[in-house]
Amino acid sequence: MTIKLSALCGCLLAVQAMTAQTVTGRVVDGGGRPLAYANVVAMSLPDSAFVAGVMTADDGSFTLDLKDTGRLLRFSSVGYKTVYADPVADVGTVHLEALAQVLGEVVVKSDLPQTRLKGEGMVTGVSGTLLEHAGTIERMLDRIPNVSARNGEIEVFGRGTPELYINGRKVRDKSELDRLNPDNIRDVEVITNPGARYDASVTSVIRIRTKKAVGDGFSLDNRLFGELNDYGYLVGEDNLNMNYRTGGLDVGATLRANKWASPDPKTTEQITHLEDTWRQRSKIDQVYKDENLYARLAVSYMFNQDHSVGISASYNRQPWNKPSGYMESILMQDDALTEQLRSDYTASTQATTLQGNAYYTGKIGQWGIDFNTDWMYTKSNLTMNTVEDYTKTGLQTEHNDVTTNTVPRSNLIASKLVLTAPLFGGELSFGGEYSYSIRKSAYTVLPKGIINDNHSRTEEGLATAFVEYGRQFGPIIAQVGLRYEDVDFDYYEDGRRIAEQSRSYGDWFPSVAMSAMLGKVGVQVGYSADIRRPSYDQLRSNIYYDNRYTYEGGNPFLQPTKSHNVNLAASYKWLMFSAGYSHIMDPIIEHSETYNDDPAVALFRQVNGEAYDKVFASLNLRPTIGPWHPSLMIGVQKQWFKMAVHGHNPLDNPLATIRFNNTVDVKLCEISLNMSCNTTGADENNYLRKPSFRADMSLYKSLLKDKLTLSLYVSDLFKTGKNSVVTYYGTMRESIYEPKALRNVNLTVRYKFNVTNSKYKGTGAGQGQKSRL
């Protein structure tokens, strides 16, 4: 049977070779910049019927296999004039000129749409747009449709925290992202239903592609950042990127040092419903202070366009991290005061992370090869001292002095191989990955007797395999994939394996995606299954002491969260609509329960909730009118979350988000005012109980032909950006959190000399396990 199938495939390929002609070339815009995703169509004559077609690659290149009936080539892209040419073997460089429409006295440029649908993702162009002047990568991402990025947290609307890639290489930590600058970015792709080549724990992906590196020699890019916040703390960061390139050799180095002070004031109220109603009201004022040093060295050598090798190593050291703060609390029993508490804490942390990557990318014949091996080591030491004075009504003040020490260690090694090859007019990708990780943790408490000490170890091996196939059928691009993951997890306490907390399981994860450009309308539909495995810290069996009223515990019996997801998207010129549906099983949610039969004391840990459904939809409008560049995003999400609560249950209420960004490009500078608003609504067991509004303002100015740039940024201009959230833990307890709004003012000064981008192409391995460590 196998011989017959191979012979049949050989005959088909031979027939195809005899009847096909290969046409190559490159499409650029009027300024000579590559045009990605332009349509190249072969047509017959004289009826102009469709014969074959492809889209151009990121660098504008294309390869088109057409039959003898293809007599005319058509090159087109939305917002550009259509060009025709004869189907010669090499058509060279094809230039498409932009269209422009005059409406009264306002000129609306019809350039390539800033956001377009491609395969399984939505691609937003950055090069040549005002997004280049956002100042930082985080602010740039915050202006991408369906993406929010603030205070180090990045989220894709409706799909949670994304996995980040830069030129195909996984972002290993925040420092990897910080060293980039928006004007080095070509485009950003947002994928809401990742395919089989991604770890099944990934719910969304953001792929950042930089501009093509040009030129040899030494380059330097230094960014100095300073910030002043409402508490009077002056903090800052210096980020120095250096690169040397000659021929195929590329050497890049990054040095970064920062000093931060992040205030975190808030008020909380914990309500417990027993025979009596207990209310614990707290005022918390704390600040997180730390210093961080980061260094990375990457060396790569490109033998030619088909073969490249490289190695990199990074060192991240936190020599000084000292958060501190206080909490003042009162405890009420049916409105009668029963206890008062003053709790002060100081903490000290030192942490070190070492990471390395080695890679080979190449092409042998028609086979593409992408191999990566990674290793990671982390070590930290956290000591926290809590001093408490509490007074029960009618009694003397009592005193507690508790010291806790946590010492975790983690090791990981992982390798990943991906092979690609053309097959039946499309592309086949398959490969596998294996990672092995060990995490050890020692936890001690003084004085003895409050909580038992704990020494635990977890070991996990993860083996995966995937296959993915994509092909274009006329204007339609289709992709289908299947992934299998096998996990072997062992849990040890005091050197003894705990059988009931160890487990092995395997899962299949299918994915399908299709997209098409039908004239000026783009459509996209996709399906994927994913899994969210609990972190190693969530799986611990011991309990941590926070203060007299609060303890934190792990749950070794947590099950992974699995979900089935469907997405739909459509675009027309500067309009973009997207929607999705998810069925989520065994969601991991925070739970609170009474500890030691004391209603004033809560133990927080994660548990699995009931399965529920969620839908979300968003509309993005991004026109350009003269110097004004508005962007409006309206998003709504609605869930059917199953949890019984005390009194009225608002957890099924929809939650809406509105973002209105405005940038005016004048000769003197660029001025941006970005506003966002959230309505009341629910997200799992959290309910936003009050609407919130926030406005950020920035000014951008370039000097010395863009070698020197200045960026002034004010976050939360009117000090209104605070969220009042109530978290429900069932019928017995809920907690209300109200953080204080803070305004920050920062200035970024950047100087660059002969800047070139690194050619390092390592994509990384073991990324899902790294995030869990």
Side-chain angles (χ1 to χ4, degrees), residues 138-165:
E138 184 174 277
R139 293 177 211 158
M140 182 203 74
L141 290 175
D142 196 49
R143 301 184 188 183
I144 300 295
N146 293 341
V147 178
S148 62
R150 284 174 183 167
N151 301 321
E153 301 294 330
I154 301 174
E155 184 174 344
V156 174
F157 181 74
R159 296 295 287 148
T161 302
E163 191 168 75
L164 297 166
Y165 287 81

PDB file of all heavy atoms in Angstrom, residues 138-165:
ATOM      1  N   GLU A 138       5.841  48.987  24.913  1.00  0.00           N
ATOM      2  CA  GLU A 138       4.590  48.812  25.652  1.00  0.00           C
ATOM      3  C   GLU A 138       3.528  49.798  25.178  1.00  0.00           C
ATOM      4  O   GLU A 138       2.374  49.425  24.953  1.00  0.00           O
ATOM      5  CB  GLU A 138       4.841  48.964  27.151  1.00  0.00           C
ATOM      6  CG  GLU A 138       3.602  48.709  28.001  1.00  0.00           C
ATOM      7  CD  GLU A 138       3.894  48.718  29.482  1.00  0.00           C
ATOM      8  OE1 GLU A 138       4.330  47.682  30.002  1.00  0.00           O
ATOM      9  OE2 GLU A 138       3.701  49.780  30.106  1.00  0.00           O
ATOM     10  N   ARG A 139       3.898  51.048  24.991  1.00  0.00           N
ATOM     11  CA  ARG A 139       2.924  52.045  24.521  1.00  0.00           C
ATOM     12  C   ARG A 139       2.523  51.763  23.082  1.00  0.00           C
ATOM     13  O   ARG A 139       1.372  52.013  22.694  1.00  0.00           O
ATOM     14  CB  ARG A 139       3.517  53.448  24.633  1.00  0.00           C
ATOM     15  CG  ARG A 139       3.753  53.903  26.063  1.00  0.00           C
ATOM     16  CD  ARG A 139       4.409  55.275  26.075  1.00  0.00           C
ATOM     17  NE  ARG A 139       5.274  55.426  27.228  1.00  0.00           N
ATOM     18  CZ  ARG A 139       6.272  56.289  27.296  1.00  0.00           C
ATOM     19  NH1 ARG A 139       6.542  57.058  26.253  1.00  0.00           N
ATOM     20  NH2 ARG A 139       7.014  56.369  28.377  1.00  0.00           N
ATOM     21  N   MET A 140       3.453  51.257  22.275  1.00  0.00           N
ATOM     22  CA  MET A 140       3.108  50.895  20.900  1.00  0.00           C
ATOM     23  C   MET A 140       2.084  49.764  20.889  1.00  0.00           C
ATOM     24  O   MET A 140       1.080  49.815  20.170  1.00  0.00           O
ATOM     25  CB  MET A 140       4.354  50.474  20.135  1.00  0.00           C
ATOM     26  CG  MET A 140       4.105  50.118  18.672  1.00  0.00           C
ATOM     27  SD  MET A 140       5.378  49.035  17.999  1.00  0.00           S
ATOM     28  CE  MET A 140       4.942  47.486  18.799  1.00  0.00           C
ATOM     29  N   LEU A 141       2.317  48.722  21.711  1.00  0.00           N
ATOM     30  CA  LEU A 141       1.389  47.595  21.755  1.00  0.00           C
ATOM     31  C   LEU A 141       0.016  48.022  22.265  1.00  0.00           C
ATOM     32  O   LEU A 141      -1.009  47.472  21.852  1.00  0.00           O
ATOM     33  CB  LEU A 141       1.951  46.489  22.651  1.00  0.00           C
ATOM     34  CG  LEU A 141       3.175  45.737  22.106  1.00  0.00           C
ATOM     35  CD1 LEU A 141       3.697  44.751  23.148  1.00  0.00           C
ATOM     36  CD2 LEU A 141       2.828  45.009  20.822  1.00  0.00           C
ATOM     37  N   ASP A 142      -0.015  49.012  23.150  1.00  0.00           N
ATOM     38  CA  ASP A 142      -1.287  49.472  23.698  1.00  0.00           C
ATOM     39  C   ASP A 142      -2.158  50.140  22.633  1.00  0.00           C
ATOM     40  O   ASP A 142      -3.355  50.327  22.836  1.00  0.00           O
ATOM     41  CB  ASP A 142      -1.032  50.452  24.848  1.00  0.00           C
ATOM     42  CG  ASP A 142      -2.270  50.660  25.718  1.00  0.00           C
ATOM     43  OD1 ASP A 142      -2.884  49.660  26.123  1.00  0.00           O
ATOM     44  OD2 ASP A 142      -2.626  51.829  25.958  1.00  0.00           O
ATOM     45  N   ARG A 143      -1.558  50.500  21.478  1.00  0.00           N
ATOM     46  CA  ARG A 143      -2.314  51.119  20.387  1.00  0.00           C
ATOM     47  C   ARG A 143      -2.657  50.114  19.287  1.00  0.00           C
ATOM     48  O   ARG A 143      -3.270  50.485  18.285  1.00  0.00           O
ATOM     49  CB  ARG A 143      -1.517  52.273  19.785  1.00  0.00           C
ATOM     50  CG  ARG A 143      -1.164  53.370  20.794  1.00  0.00           C
ATOM     51  CD  ARG A 143      -0.451  54.524  20.120  1.00  0.00           C
ATOM     52  NE  ARG A 143       0.062  55.480  21.098  1.00  0.00           N
ATOM     53  CZ  ARG A 143       0.673  56.614  20.779  1.00  0.00           C
ATOM     54  NH1 ARG A 143       0.837  56.926  19.501  1.00  0.00           N
ATOM     55  NH2 ARG A 143       1.126  57.427  21.715  1.00  0.00           N
ATOM     56  N   ILE A 144      -2.274  48.857  19.458  1.00  0.00           N
ATOM     57  CA  ILE A 144      -2.610  47.813  18.488  1.00  0.00           C
ATOM     58  C   ILE A 144      -4.048  47.349  18.747  1.00  0.00           C
ATOM     59  O   ILE A 144      -4.439  47.172  19.903  1.00  0.00           O
ATOM     60  CB  ILE A 144      -1.637  46.629  18.616  1.00  0.00           C
ATOM     61  CG1 ILE A 144      -0.200  47.090  18.353  1.00  0.00           C
ATOM     62  CG2 ILE A 144      -2.026  45.498  17.669  1.00  0.00           C
ATOM     63  CD1 ILE A 144       0.067  47.561  16.955  1.00  0.00           C
ATOM     64  N   PRO A 145      -4.852  47.151  17.709  1.00  0.00           N
ATOM     65  CA  PRO A 145      -6.234  46.700  17.932  1.00  0.00           C
ATOM     66  C   PRO A 145      -6.304  45.430  18.779  1.00  0.00           C
ATOM     67  O   PRO A 145      -5.542  44.484  18.574  1.00  0.00           O
ATOM     68  CB  PRO A 145      -6.744  46.442  16.505  1.00  0.00           C
ATOM     69  CG  PRO A 145      -5.943  47.360  15.651  1.00  0.00           C
ATOM     70  CD  PRO A 145      -4.583  47.415  16.281  1.00  0.00           C
ATOM     71  N   ASN A 146      -7.207  45.458  19.760  1.00  0.00           N
ATOM     72  CA  ASN A 146      -7.501  44.325  20.644  1.00  0.00           C
ATOM     73  C   ASN A 146      -6.363  43.980  21.600  1.00  0.00           C
ATOM     74  O   ASN A 146      -6.350  42.889  22.184  1.00  0.00           O
ATOM     75  CB  ASN A 146      -7.894  43.078  19.845  1.00  0.00           C
ATOM     76  CG  ASN A 146      -9.204  43.237  19.116  1.00  0.00           C
ATOM     77  OD1 ASN A 146     -10.005  44.112  19.443  1.00  0.00           O
ATOM     78  ND2 ASN A 146      -9.436  42.410  18.113  1.00  0.00           N
ATOM     79  N   VAL A 147      -5.402  44.887  21.782  1.00  0.00           N
ATOM     80  CA  VAL A 147      -4.296  44.660  22.704  1.00  0.00           C
ATOM     81  C   VAL A 147      -4.255  45.786  23.725  1.00  0.00           C
ATOM     82  O   VAL A 147      -4.408  46.951  23.371  1.00  0.00           O
ATOM     83  CB  VAL A 147      -2.942  44.592  21.972  1.00  0.00           C
ATOM     84  CG1 VAL A 147      -1.797  44.414  22.966  1.00  0.00           C
ATOM     85  CG2 VAL A 147      -2.937  43.452  20.960  1.00  0.00           C
ATOM     86  N   SER A 148      -4.087  45.441  24.995  1.00  0.00           N
ATOM     87  CA  SER A 148      -3.858  46.435  26.035  1.00  0.00           C
ATOM     88  C   SER A 148      -2.537  46.113  26.713  1.00  0.00           C
ATOM     89  O   SER A 148      -2.224  44.946  26.965  1.00  0.00           O
ATOM     90  CB  SER A 148      -4.999  46.445  27.063  1.00  0.00           C
ATOM     91  OG  SER A 148      -5.089  45.201  27.731  1.00  0.00           O
ATOM     92  N   ALA A 149      -1.736  47.148  26.992  1.00  0.00           N
ATOM     93  CA  ALA A 149      -0.414  46.961  27.588  1.00  0.00           C
ATOM     94  C   ALA A 149      -0.122  48.117  28.529  1.00  0.00           C
ATOM     95  O   ALA A 149       0.068  49.249  28.091  1.00  0.00           O
ATOM     96  CB  ALA A 149       0.655  46.882  26.497  1.00  0.00           C
ATOM     97  N   ARG A 150      -0.092  47.798  29.827  1.00  0.00           N
ATOM     98  CA  ARG A 150       0.181  48.818  30.833  1.00  0.00           C
ATOM     99  C   ARG A 150       0.826  48.185  32.047  1.00  0.00           C
ATOM    100  O   ARG A 150       0.475  47.078  32.429  1.00  0.00           O
ATOM    101  CB  ARG A 150      -1.109  49.533  31.264  1.00  0.00           C
ATOM    102  CG  ARG A 150      -1.627  50.542  30.236  1.00  0.00           C
ATOM    103  CD  ARG A 150      -2.946  51.108  30.627  1.00  0.00           C
ATOM    104  NE  ARG A 150      -3.445  52.018  29.609  1.00  0.00           N
ATOM    105  CZ  ARG A 150      -4.695  52.465  29.577  1.00  0.00           C
ATOM    106  NH1 ARG A 150      -5.566  52.079  30.489  1.00  0.00           N
ATOM    107  NH2 ARG A 150      -5.082  53.294  28.625  1.00  0.00           N
ATOM    108  N   ASN A 151       1.777  48.919  32.627  1.00  0.00           N
ATOM    109  CA  ASN A 151       2.430  48.511  33.864  1.00  0.00           C
ATOM    110  C   ASN A 151       3.011  47.100  33.772  1.00  0.00           C
ATOM    111  O   ASN A 151       2.936  46.304  34.712  1.00  0.00           O
ATOM    112  CB  ASN A 151       1.451  48.592  35.038  1.00  0.00           C
ATOM    113  CG  ASN A 151       0.889  49.982  35.227  1.00  0.00           C
ATOM    114  OD1 ASN A 151       1.600  50.973  35.085  1.00  0.00           O
ATOM    115  ND2 ASN A 151      -0.403  50.075  35.531  1.00  0.00           N
ATOM    116  N   GLY A 152       3.576  46.785  32.599  1.00  0.00           N
ATOM    117  CA  GLY A 152       4.211  45.495  32.425  1.00  0.00           C
ATOM    118  C   GLY A 152       3.272  44.352  32.112  1.00  0.00           C
ATOM    119  O   GLY A 152       3.717  43.218  31.905  1.00  0.00           O
ATOM    120  N   GLU A 153       1.965  44.610  32.071  1.00  0.00           N
ATOM    121  CA  GLU A 153       0.988  43.574  31.781  1.00  0.00           C
ATOM    122  C   GLU A 153       0.447  43.763  30.369  1.00  0.00           C
ATOM    123  O   GLU A 153       0.005  44.852  30.006  1.00  0.00           O
ATOM    124  CB  GLU A 153      -0.173  43.625  32.786  1.00  0.00           C
ATOM    125  CG  GLU A 153       0.247  43.445  34.232  1.00  0.00           C
ATOM    126  CD  GLU A 153       0.795  42.059  34.512  1.00  0.00           C
ATOM    127  OE1 GLU A 153       0.346  41.109  33.836  1.00  0.00           O
ATOM    128  OE2 GLU A 153       1.678  41.922  35.379  1.00  0.00           O
ATOM    129  N   ILE A 154       0.477  42.698  29.570  1.00  0.00           N
ATOM    130  CA  ILE A 154      -0.019  42.727  28.188  1.00  0.00           C
ATOM    131  C   ILE A 154      -1.165  41.731  28.079  1.00  0.00           C
ATOM    132  O   ILE A 154      -1.081  40.609  28.583  1.00  0.00           O
ATOM    133  CB  ILE A 154       1.094  42.367  27.196  1.00  0.00           C
ATOM    134  CG1 ILE A 154       2.259  43.360  27.340  1.00  0.00           C
ATOM    135  CG2 ILE A 154       0.572  42.388  25.764  1.00  0.00           C
ATOM    136  CD1 ILE A 154       3.463  43.001  26.504  1.00  0.00           C
ATOM    137  N   GLU A 155      -2.255  42.144  27.435  1.00  0.00           N
ATOM    138  CA  GLU A 155      -3.426  41.282  27.324  1.00  0.00           C
ATOM    139  C   GLU A 155      -4.077  41.455  25.962  1.00  0.00           C
ATOM    140  O   GLU A 155      -4.158  42.569  25.433  1.00  0.00           O
ATOM    141  CB  GLU A 155      -4.438  41.608  28.431  1.00  0.00           C
ATOM    142  CG  GLU A 155      -5.640  40.686  28.452  1.00  0.00           C
ATOM    143  CD  GLU A 155      -6.542  40.939  29.640  1.00  0.00           C
ATOM    144  OE1 GLU A 155      -6.104  41.612  30.600  1.00  0.00           O
ATOM    145  OE2 GLU A 155      -7.694  40.464  29.625  1.00  0.00           O
ATOM    146  N   VAL A 156      -4.515  40.339  25.379  1.00  0.00           N
ATOM    147  CA  VAL A 156      -5.279  40.346  24.141  1.00  0.00           C
ATOM    148  C   VAL A 156      -6.750  40.221  24.508  1.00  0.00           C
ATOM    149  O   VAL A 156      -7.133  39.327  25.273  1.00  0.00           O
ATOM    150  CB  VAL A 156      -4.847  39.189  23.215  1.00  0.00           C
ATOM    151  CG1 VAL A 156      -5.756  39.114  21.988  1.00  0.00           C
ATOM    152  CG2 VAL A 156      -3.400  39.376  22.780  1.00  0.00           C
ATOM    153  N   PHE A 157      -7.567  41.127  23.973  1.00  0.00           N
ATOM    154  CA  PHE A 157      -8.970  41.197  24.361  1.00  0.00           C
ATOM    155  C   PHE A 157      -9.658  39.847  24.153  1.00  0.00           C
ATOM    156  O   PHE A 157      -9.646  39.277  23.068  1.00  0.00           O
ATOM    157  CB  PHE A 157      -9.691  42.267  23.551  1.00  0.00           C
ATOM    158  CG  PHE A 157     -11.147  42.433  23.912  1.00  0.00           C
ATOM    159  CD1 PHE A 157     -11.515  43.064  25.083  1.00  0.00           C
ATOM    160  CD2 PHE A 157     -12.137  41.940  23.089  1.00  0.00           C
ATOM    161  CE1 PHE A 157     -12.840  43.206  25.433  1.00  0.00           C
ATOM    162  CE2 PHE A 157     -13.469  42.066  23.420  1.00  0.00           C
ATOM    163  CZ  PHE A 157     -13.819  42.712  24.597  1.00  0.00           C
ATOM    164  N   GLY A 158     -10.257  39.333  25.218  1.00  0.00           N
ATOM    165  CA  GLY A 158     -10.996  38.077  25.178  1.00  0.00           C
ATOM    166  C   GLY A 158     -10.149  36.834  25.250  1.00  0.00           C
ATOM    167  O   GLY A 158     -10.687  35.731  25.437  1.00  0.00           O
ATOM    168  N   ARG A 159      -8.782  36.952  25.137  1.00  0.00           N
ATOM    169  CA  ARG A 159      -7.927  35.764  25.081  1.00  0.00           C
ATOM    170  C   ARG A 159      -6.779  35.796  26.083  1.00  0.00           C
ATOM    171  O   ARG A 159      -5.912  34.932  26.058  1.00  0.00           O
ATOM    172  CB  ARG A 159      -7.374  35.576  23.665  1.00  0.00           C
ATOM    173  CG  ARG A 159      -8.422  35.309  22.623  1.00  0.00           C
ATOM    174  CD  ARG A 159      -9.132  33.981  22.866  1.00  0.00           C
ATOM    175  NE  ARG A 159      -8.249  32.867  22.522  1.00  0.00           N
ATOM    176  CZ  ARG A 159      -8.269  31.695  23.130  1.00  0.00           C
ATOM    177  NH1 ARG A 159      -9.079  31.486  24.131  1.00  0.00           N
ATOM    178  NH2 ARG A 159      -7.461  30.733  22.735  1.00  0.00           N
ATOM    179  N   GLY A 160      -6.744  36.786  26.963  1.00  0.00           N
ATOM    180  CA  GLY A 160      -5.791  36.776  28.058  1.00  0.00           C
ATOM    181  C   GLY A 160      -4.374  37.147  27.676  1.00  0.00           C
ATOM    182  O   GLY A 160      -4.117  37.806  26.662  1.00  0.00           O
ATOM    183  N   THR A 161      -3.423  36.702  28.506  1.00  0.00           N
ATOM    184  CA  THR A 161      -2.017  37.061  28.343  1.00  0.00           C
ATOM    185  C   THR A 161      -1.403  36.318  27.157  1.00  0.00           C
ATOM    186  O   THR A 161      -1.477  35.090  27.088  1.00  0.00           O
ATOM    187  CB  THR A 161      -1.232  36.720  29.620  1.00  0.00           C
ATOM    188  OG1 THR A 161      -1.821  37.419  30.726  1.00  0.00           O
ATOM    189  CG2 THR A 161       0.219  37.147  29.484  1.00  0.00           C
ATOM    190  N   PRO A 162      -0.772  37.040  26.228  1.00  0.00           N
ATOM    191  CA  PRO A 162      -0.219  36.382  25.035  1.00  0.00           C
ATOM    192  C   PRO A 162       1.211  35.906  25.246  1.00  0.00           C
ATOM    193  O   PRO A 162       1.919  36.353  26.158  1.00  0.00           O
ATOM    194  CB  PRO A 162      -0.264  37.491  23.985  1.00  0.00           C
ATOM    195  CG  PRO A 162      -0.006  38.731  24.797  1.00  0.00           C
ATOM    196  CD  PRO A 162      -0.673  38.508  26.145  1.00  0.00           C
ATOM    197  N   GLU A 163       1.646  34.997  24.372  1.00  0.00           N
ATOM    198  CA  GLU A 163       3.053  34.656  24.258  1.00  0.00           C
ATOM    199  C   GLU A 163       3.661  35.581  23.208  1.00  0.00           C
ATOM    200  O   GLU A 163       3.056  35.816  22.160  1.00  0.00           O
ATOM    201  CB  GLU A 163       3.217  33.200  23.848  1.00  0.00           C
ATOM    202  CG  GLU A 163       4.638  32.688  23.959  1.00  0.00           C
ATOM    203  CD  GLU A 163       4.710  31.179  23.838  1.00  0.00           C
ATOM    204  OE1 GLU A 163       4.564  30.669  22.708  1.00  0.00           O
ATOM    205  OE2 GLU A 163       4.888  30.507  24.868  1.00  0.00           O
ATOM    206  N   LEU A 164       4.850  36.103  23.482  1.00  0.00           N
ATOM    207  CA  LEU A 164       5.465  37.117  22.628  1.00  0.00           C
ATOM    208  C   LEU A 164       6.650  36.540  21.855  1.00  0.00           C
ATOM    209  O   LEU A 164       7.445  35.756  22.408  1.00  0.00           O
ATOM    210  CB  LEU A 164       5.937  38.302  23.471  1.00  0.00           C
ATOM    211  CG  LEU A 164       4.840  39.083  24.204  1.00  0.00           C
ATOM    212  CD1 LEU A 164       5.456  39.990  25.245  1.00  0.00           C
ATOM    213  CD2 LEU A 164       4.013  39.884  23.227  1.00  0.00           C
ATOM    214  N   TYR A 165       6.755  36.933  20.583  1.00  0.00           N
ATOM    215  CA  TYR A 165       7.877  36.533  19.737  1.00  0.00           C
ATOM    216  C   TYR A 165       8.454  37.769  19.058  1.00  0.00           C
ATOM    217  O   TYR A 165       7.721  38.672  18.659  1.00  0.00           O
ATOM    218  CB  TYR A 165       7.433  35.542  18.659  1.00  0.00           C
ATOM    219  CG  TYR A 165       7.141  34.151  19.178  1.00  0.00           C
ATOM    220  CD1 TYR A 165       5.922  33.853  19.771  1.00  0.00           C
ATOM    221  CD2 TYR A 165       8.091  33.137  19.074  1.00  0.00           C
ATOM    222  CE1 TYR A 165       5.654  32.590  20.249  1.00  0.00           C
ATOM    223  CE2 TYR A 165       7.835  31.866  19.546  1.00  0.00           C
ATOM    224  CZ  TYR A 165       6.619  31.589  20.137  1.00  0.00           C
ATOM    225  OH  TYR A 165       6.357  30.334  20.617  1.00  0.00           O
TER     226      TYR A 165
END
